[in-house]
Amino acid sequence: MAIIDEFIKKTGEFYEELNVQDRHRYRSWEHCYAHFYEARQNSEKTNVDSLSLHLAFYLASWGMYRGSSFLLQYDYTIHTSVVEEILKRKYDKLFGLKCNELNNEEICSLLDELNTKIKKIYNPFRSKVKKPKGKKDISNILVSKVLLGTLGCVPAYDRFFVKAVTNIDEDTKKKVTTRNYNIASLKKLIKFYEEHQERLEELRSRFLIEYQFNEDKKTLPYPQMKVLDMGFWKIGFDLSK
């Protein structure tokens, strides 16, 4: 099966699973992303404490609070400074980032800057509970998951996603991209989206976040990066079984 056909099939399965089970843990991403969207739309009403709690629960739902994680040793306020950084207006350009926008060097530079800032904020917390050999950095898995939940601007480079994008496509005999989270890897990844833009946009049109904010019922489309994340995550998850 061609990778694009498998991708569309698995993405559909992922979303169906989300809808079949009421209050599925996968919804945590939707809640987090929608609340950060509203915070950017209504900055005068932003509640950093609430956003930090949403971020913490989303990360916990997606495996970032396992026993070996330094996050487990802290309460949700460990995320407060990260939330405050992400809410800065200069990062508005990254919210719901479209794949082709990563061809813009200014956007790439801004994303790199935020990656560095997030690591710098978390590092002191990690250092207090971990004594790594050498200069071990904050994991790219954590950074990319934070960005996926708050800005939807990159997929999360966790083990299932990486397993899928580095698996050899039977048709092309190539990998989709590399296992390392960086701009070069993301640029290879977006080529996949651009090559199948029409089919993937039709697929994405089915995915909506339905939520309530200030007693108003609202909808928000899934960003392109989340579609890439869910499809390749599902492929990797099934491969691992």
Side-chain angles (χ1 to χ4, degrees):
M1 184 185 294
I3 185 65
I4 181 58
D5 296 322
E6 183 180 14
F7 182 93
I8 289 173
K9 178 176 179 290
K10 295 296 185 182
T11 307
E13 289 176 3
F14 181 104
Y15 196 70
E16 280 302 310
E17 185 179 344
L18 186 69
N19 288 306
V20 167
Q21 182 178 319
D22 190 32
R23 295 181 174 86
H24 200 293
R25 72 178 177 91
Y26 294 170
R27 293 281 182 202
S28 295
W29 173 82
E30 291 189 353
H31 298 316
C32 189
Y33 184 70
H35 276 77
F36 272 86
Y37 169 76
E38 291 296 339
R40 302 196 93 82
Q41 300 302 306
N42 307 281
S43 57
E44 71 284 354
K45 297 179 181 179
T46 297
N47 186 328
V48 171
D49 189 70
S50 175
L51 291 171
S52 301
L53 191 55
H54 271 289
L55 177 56
F57 197 89
Y58 148 70
L59 291 173
S61 295
W62 282 95
M64 296 309 295
Y65 274 74
R66 291 191 179 96
S68 61
S69 171
F70 75 94
L71 296 177
L72 191 60
Q73 307 307 317
Y74 296 95
D75 68 14
Y76 72 94
T77 61
I78 187 179
H79 304 295
T80 299
S81 295
V82 168
V83 169
E84 290 172 341
E85 180 66 30
I86 287 170
L87 288 176
K88 290 180 178 177
R89 281 297 171 197
K90 65 179 178 178
Y91 300 122
D92 283 356
K93 296 176 182 178
L94 298 180
F95 190 89
L97 191 70
K98 292 181 179 178
C99 288
N100 62 10
E101 292 178 296
L102 271 173
N103 294 317
N104 183 314
E105 291 308 311
E106 180 187 350
I107 293 293
C108 291
S109 178
L110 192 62
L111 180 57
D112 262 343
E113 178 185 340
L114 184 52
N115 288 332
T116 302
K117 290 280 181 66
I118 291 172
K119 289 183 177 183
K120 187 175 181 180
I121 292 168
Y122 282 131
N123 253 323
F125 294 104
R126 183 181 183 278
S127 298
K128 286 181 181 179
V129 297
K130 295 274 187 180
K131 294 183 179 179
K133 295 177 181 178
K135 295 182 178 179
K136 193 170 182 180
D137 208 353
I138 293 294
S139 77
N140 285 326
I141 298 175
L142 174 58
V143 174
S144 58
K145 283 201 177 184
V146 167
L147 291 176
L148 177 63
T150 59
L151 293 169
C153 61
V154 297
Y157 272 60
D158 61 15
R159 67 189 179 99
F160 294 134
F161 178 87
V162 166
K163 189 174 185 68
V165 297
T166 56
N167 196 45
I168 300 296
D169 180 9
E170 292 179 3
D171 285 1
T172 64
K173 307 303 179 186
K174 295 179 181 178
K175 301 174 183 178
V176 174
T177 189
T178 64
R179 65 185 302 108
N180 301 312
Y181 169 63
N182 52 42
I183 297 299
S185 179
L186 287 169
K187 285 191 173 183
K188 287 183 178 180
L189 179 66
I190 66 173
K191 286 182 180 178
F192 173 81
Y193 205 101
E194 291 173 336
E195 286 170 1
H196 306 288
Q197 178 95 12
E198 187 175 341
R199 293 183 70 184
L200 291 176
E201 281 297 283
E202 191 281 326
L203 177 70
R204 188 170 76 93
S205 68
R206 307 177 205 166
F207 306 145
L208 290 173
I209 304 170
E210 297 179 352
Y211 66 103
Q212 190 164 315
F213 194 83
N214 290 339
E215 299 183 358
D216 294 326
K217 290 184 177 180
K218 298 188 174 187
T219 58
L220 185 64
Y222 272 44
Q224 292 178 352
M225 294 296 183
K226 176 58 179 175
V227 174
L228 286 171
D229 177 82
M230 60 199 278
F232 284 121
W233 184 91
K234 178 63 174 170
I235 292 172
F237 178 78
D238 289 349
L239 281 172
S240 70
K241 295 191 293 186

